[in-house]
Amino acid sequence: MQWRNSPTRYGLVSILLHWVVALVVFGMFALGLWMVGQDYYSPWYRTAPEIHKGIGLILFAVMLARLAWRFLSPPPPAPASHGRLTRVGAKAGHALLYLGLFALMISGYLISTADGRGISVFGLFEVPATLTAIPDQEDVAGKVHLYLAWALVIFAGVHALAALKHHFIDRDATLVRMFGRGANHRA
């Protein structure tokens, strides 16, 4: 398998970035739901948010790399069978996923640094608090983070359903390309 994207398929780097981000996003969503239910006396009360923050900051770096890779190795064009509306919808959907993920991570950063303290990333380094003067920063960013997390997980589910629709109903190569196969591998 090639590293870079080609006109007919995604390369290994794009595939790995796609699936790692997808797994981390859903894992972080589950961790976030679980951790907010911990009471003060739980041993995870402080540990789970620290894990969530550390993974979130690493995910931010991975998303920056993913965005850079998208410019260095552009994705293959949509299959010829896709109509104009499908192509526009796919571009808009991907843009919303990227923007939503970055907004989600920025809101998480704003929650975590509202008190002026930086965020430790697993004790390896610290990301400083740079913006702390927004009125009700923690509460506002917390609501944004919560609603964006739900919206992104739902939208990612719709994204997955669209890929399955392309595979099983349209019988095109949309889904198989994200597994490293070209259009000629579609039955």
Side-chain angles (χ1 to χ4, degrees), residues 175-187:
L175 180 62
V176 296
R177 292 189 318 169
M178 192 41 77
F179 288 107
R181 296 189 175 139
N184 57 344
H185 284 86
R186 180 66 186 128

Side-chain angles (χ1 to χ4, degrees), residues 42-172:
S42 168
W44 289 99
Y45 181 77
R46 295 206 191 290
T47 306
E50 295 305 316
I51 292 169
H52 191 82
K53 293 174 198 178
I55 293 171
L57 286 168
I58 291 169
L59 180 61
F60 184 76
V62 169
M63 282 301 297
L64 288 174
R66 186 174 180 190
L67 194 57
W69 184 253
R70 200 169 167 87
F71 288 103
L72 292 170
S73 183
S81 62
H82 288 189
R84 180 175 165 5
L85 187 60
T86 300
R87 290 172 194 256
V88 170
K91 283 190 183 294
H94 285 110
L96 281 173
L97 284 169
Y98 273 83
L99 288 171
L101 273 169
F102 279 112
L104 180 69
M105 292 180 284
I106 290 167
S107 67
Y109 170 81
L110 292 173
I111 296 166
S112 302
T113 59
D115 62 1
R117 287 183 283 168
I119 305 169
S120 173
V121 180
F122 302 113
L124 301 172
F125 59 93
E126 186 171 296
V127 175
T130 57
L131 185 59
T132 59
I134 299 171
D136 300 319
Q137 178 173 325
E138 187 173 8
D139 293 334
V140 172
K143 285 183 178 152
V144 169
H145 195 72
L146 174 66
Y147 294 133
L148 271 176
W150 275 103
L152 274 168
V153 165
I154 291 167
F155 196 67
V158 171
H159 175 72
L161 288 173
L164 292 171
K165 180 246 183 209
H166 279 287
H167 187 74
F168 291 110
I169 296 173
D170 299 342
R171 302 198 51 81
D172 65 28

